[in-house]
Amino acid sequence: MSEIGDSGLETLKINEQDKKDSDSDSDVSDEEGEEETKLVIPTELNISLNHGSKAVAALAIDPAGARLASGSVDYQVKFWDFAGMDNTLQSFRSLYPCGNNPIKAIAYTATGDSVLIVSGMAQAKVLDRDGHEIMECVKGDQYVVDMARTKGHTAPLTSGCWHPRNREEFLTSAEDGTCRIWTVDKPYNHLKIIKCRSKNGLKTNPTACNYNRDASLVAAACVDGSIQLWDPRRIITSPTLHNREAHQQGSETSCVAFAYLHNWIASRGGDDTVKLWDLRAFKKPLQVKHDLFSRYGSTDCAFSPDDTVLTTGVSLNKGETEGKLYFFDTTTFETVKEIIVADAHVIKTVWHPRLHQIFVSCGNGIVKVFYDEAKSMRGAKLCAGKVRTKTKQVEVVAATQIITPHALPAFKQERSKSMRKKMEKDRLDPIKSHRPDLPIKSGQGGRVAASGSTLSSYVIRNLGLSKKVEDDQDPREAILKYAKEAAENPYWVAPAYSQTQPKPIFRSEEGEENEDEPSNKKMKSQ
């Protein structure tokens, strides 16, 4: 019994020691889990995409994180493909979709197959992933007073975004005092219209608009300093929520952003402030941050994927040389971190939840992409370390010679030579140079005198006869040479007249008259 008791005590001690070890291990694992769950701001590494020389006022990344679209005030839109780029960081497509109108906003659909382009004109455009136009919204009648009776916007656009769940529906705002909801299949008329009204009932222009995460609310920031929200699922008459004194009156509120999980909304004001609001108590802001100078009407703010951090950029004030990006804790609104982006204005900021990368556009035409080596995935990491390789040309010697028809001398094309050598070669060819006949240097009368005294003799000698004819002899003597042969061997004329032809009588050489012949009659003298 004593032995059993001792062994039992030993086993109890061992079990207690195991429990203590397990408790200490669990505490360590909890601490490690807390460290792992703590948000890491991805600013360790960065790359620069060169859009141009003017300010990049619009920026969008598709939900998958494969492509980036950037738009500038120089009217140009560029598309970037991270999987297809190397470390030279060149865009695969560049276009001017809206003519000579600055690009104000770009947005991808929830599926990433279409891109919304909002520019300085009154018509928004929808492009596909490769930049080809799908549709263009109709322009309204600017002479109609009631904006509900026009089919489209009548003034320059200010902002636009896609429906978070429906890839066919999008929202635009313009300086005509309205926000309009469109569908891609009906470009000639808006689906719904929202009229923005100020406190005294007059129209006010919206400067920014956005959907919340489940599309149950549409928010718009207006020039009168108000933030108004409507429910698009109902008949739109008056705002569901509104705050008339959200920002300074007359300032241009450039962004309205919704949180991912909470009922929070952040606004970036033109009065150099960033404010955080709770929709359940919308009368006063939860947090306010001052002295954040903004020069552009598209400067925005963005939530982190877990809503613990709010980030925004700052423009350069007079005398400043460093454009910064600030990160604020959403609970205390203290500055968690600040980084220097470039020596230019910081305009757009997009924190992609899937890639865990931050995209920042600057006033000098540069788009900076910040990422972390351990926490970030794909995106900029795909092209940052990809070295551009030259294609190797492999020389292959064929075993047998293959002669094609165009390789034969008859079909071979002449190599390009210098014009001088070609003219010298053509000059030696008498056919190509059209060389005239050389003149005769000896004798008188030229070529005609050499061939005959007359033109007819020249023609007969050279063209008509094969035998040479002497032009100096007497023609009568030339004919009489053949008289004896013609009399002895008649062939043509003599046999036909042999019986009827009279005998020819010729005068003698002395010229005496024949006695048998009658004397010639003498002429009568008068």
Side-chain angles (χ1 to χ4, degrees):
M1 291 294 290
S2 62
E3 294 178 357
I4 295 171
D6 294 338
S7 62
L9 291 172
E10 290 177 357
T11 54
L12 288 172
K13 290 179 180 178
I14 293 170
N15 292 332
E16 289 177 357
Q17 186 67 27
D18 292 340
K19 286 182 180 179
K20 291 180 180 178
D21 294 339
S22 63
D23 292 339
S24 61
D25 293 339
S26 62
D27 294 338
V28 172
S29 63
D30 292 339
E31 292 178 358
E32 291 178 353
E34 289 178 358
E35 291 179 357
E36 291 178 356
T37 56
K38 187 177 179 181
L39 179 66
V40 177
I41 300 175
T43 57
E44 179 184 356
L45 301 172
N46 68 83
I47 61 172
S48 298
L49 307 177
N50 188 6
H51 177 95
S53 59
K54 299 296 182 68
V56 180
L59 199 65
I61 302 95
D62 65 340
R67 287 191 176 182
L68 167 71
S70 59
S72 175
V73 295
D74 61 356
Y75 328 129
Q76 191 176 21
V77 174
K78 285 190 176 183
F79 292 91
W80 315 76
D81 187 5
F82 294 111
M85 283 194 302
D86 50 21
N87 57 2
T88 58
L89 305 176
Q90 298 294 325
S91 63
F92 74 92
R93 187 169 177 80
S94 176
L95 67 156
Y96 295 87
C98 302
N100 295 335
N101 292 284
I103 308 301
K104 295 186 177 180
I106 298 178
Y108 273 95
T109 58
T111 56
D113 57 345
S114 300
V115 184
L116 174 65
I117 306 295
V118 176
S119 65
M121 63 180 186
Q123 298 165 274
K125 287 190 176 183
V126 177
L127 311 179
D128 62 0
R129 284 178 60 85
D130 296 325
H132 303 291
E133 184 175 334
I134 298 176
M135 63 88 72
E136 181 182 18
C137 297
V138 69
K139 185 178 181 181
D141 190 353
Q142 58 185 351
Y143 297 104
V144 176
V145 177
D146 188 1
M147 290 292 104
R149 297 187 179 274
T150 59
K151 298 180 179 179
H153 289 292
T154 60
L157 301 176
T158 58
S159 181
C161 63
W162 284 96
H163 191 284
R165 296 181 179 178
N166 186 1
R167 67 186 188 93
E168 298 290 330
E169 184 178 321
F170 60 93
L171 172 70
T172 58
S173 62
E175 294 179 2
D176 57 0
T178 62
C179 297
R180 298 175 192 259
I181 300 175
W182 305 81
T183 54
V184 177
D185 55 346
K186 294 180 180 179
Y188 299 108
N189 197 357
H190 60 262
L191 187 65
K192 289 184 179 181
I193 182 172
I194 300 172
K195 295 181 181 180
C196 300
R197 299 293 183 185
S198 60
K199 187 175 182 180
N200 54 8
L202 300 177
K203 76 172 184 178
T204 180
N205 295 335
T207 57
C209 62
N210 200 0
Y211 280 102
N212 65 344
R213 301 297 173 181
D214 58 353
S216 60
L217 288 174
V218 171
C222 303
V223 177
D224 63 341
S226 65
I227 297 178
Q228 306 178 31
L229 296 96
W230 298 268
D231 189 350
R233 299 168 297 180
R234 302 175 182 176
I235 299 174
I236 300 173
T237 55
S238 59
T240 306
L241 292 172
H242 66 275
N243 190 322
R244 300 292 181 183
E245 298 177 354
H247 288 275
Q248 183 180 349
Q249 187 175 0
S251 63
E252 189 173 358
T253 304
S254 55
C255 177
V256 177
F258 285 90
Y260 287 91
L261 301 174
H262 300 82
N263 293 320
W264 291 344
I265 181 172
S267 60
R268 181 69 163 94
D271 53 356
D272 303 343
T273 61
V274 171
K275 296 184 179 182
L276 182 65
W277 308 82
D278 191 347
L279 296 178
R280 294 167 296 184
F282 198 54
K283 292 183 179 181
K284 292 183 179 181
L286 293 177
Q287 304 289 344
V288 180
K289 201 72 176 179
H290 297 277
D291 299 331
L292 300 173
F293 178 63
S294 174
R295 186 181 297 274
Y296 289 87
S298 56
T299 305
D300 63 349
C301 54
F303 283 95
S304 62
D306 58 355
D307 292 341
T308 59
V309 175
L310 179 66
T311 178
T312 185
V314 177
S315 301
L316 295 181
N317 210 336
K318 188 176 181 180
E320 296 180 353
T321 58
E322 296 176 347
K324 296 182 180 180
L325 186 66
Y326 289 92
F327 298 89
F328 305 112
D329 189 353
T330 52
T331 56
T332 61
F333 234 55
E334 295 180 355
T335 303
V336 178
K337 193 173 186 180
E338 67 176 73
I339 58 173
I340 299 173
V341 179
D343 55 350
H345 310 289
V346 178
I347 306 173
K348 298 291 288 188
T349 305
V350 180
W351 193 327
H352 198 280
R354 185 171 181 179
L355 301 180
H356 196 59
Q357 297 176 8
I358 301 174
F359 299 82
V360 183
S361 68
C362 305
N364 57 358
I366 301 296
V367 178
K368 283 285 188 79
V369 184
F370 293 90
Y371 62 97
D372 187 81
E373 188 66 31
K375 298 294 183 180
S376 300
M377 55 181 292
R378 299 181 66 82
K381 294 178 67 177
L382 294 176
C383 56
K386 187 186 294 185
V387 181
R388 187 175 185 178
T389 56
K390 296 182 179 180
T391 57
K392 297 181 179 180
Q393 297 179 356
V394 181
E395 296 181 358
V396 179
V397 179
T400 59
Q401 186 179 6
I402 300 173
I403 300 176
T404 60
H406 294 283
L408 299 174
F411 300 97
K412 192 174 182 181
Q413 296 181 354
E414 294 183 358
R415 294 182 179 178
S416 59
K417 299 180 180 179
S418 63
M419 188 62 66
R420 182 179 178 183
K421 291 184 178 180
K422 188 176 181 182
M423 290 177 65
E424 290 177 355
K425 187 176 180 181
D426 293 344
R427 185 67 177 170
L428 298 175
D429 191 351
I431 298 175
K432 290 185 177 180
S433 62
H434 302 286
R435 184 179 64 184
D437 295 332
L438 297 176
I440 299 174
K441 297 180 180 179
S442 61
Q444 296 179 355
R447 188 177 293 102
V448 176
S451 301
S453 60
T454 61
L455 180 61
S456 61
S457 64
Y458 170 77
V459 173
I460 292 170
R461 179 179 293 278
N462 290 279
L463 302 177
L465 299 177
S466 60
K467 294 182 179 181
K468 190 173 182 180
V469 178
E470 297 293 339
D471 293 334
D472 297 338
Q473 65 180 352
D474 188 9
R476 186 172 181 271
E477 291 179 0
I479 295 173
L480 290 176
K481 281 193 306 183
Y482 304 99
K484 183 179 180 181
E485 186 181 354
E488 293 176 356
N489 300 316
Y491 183 76
W492 294 106
V493 180
Y497 299 98
S498 60
Q499 295 182 2
T500 59
Q501 182 71 18
K503 184 179 180 181
I505 300 173
F506 299 98
R507 185 185 296 180
S508 61
E509 293 180 0
E510 291 79 4
E512 297 178 354
E513 295 183 358
N514 195 352
E515 296 178 356
D516 298 338
E517 290 182 0
S519 58
N520 294 330
K521 294 182 179 180
K522 297 180 180 181
M523 296 293 294
K524 292 182 180 182
S525 60
Q526 297 179 357

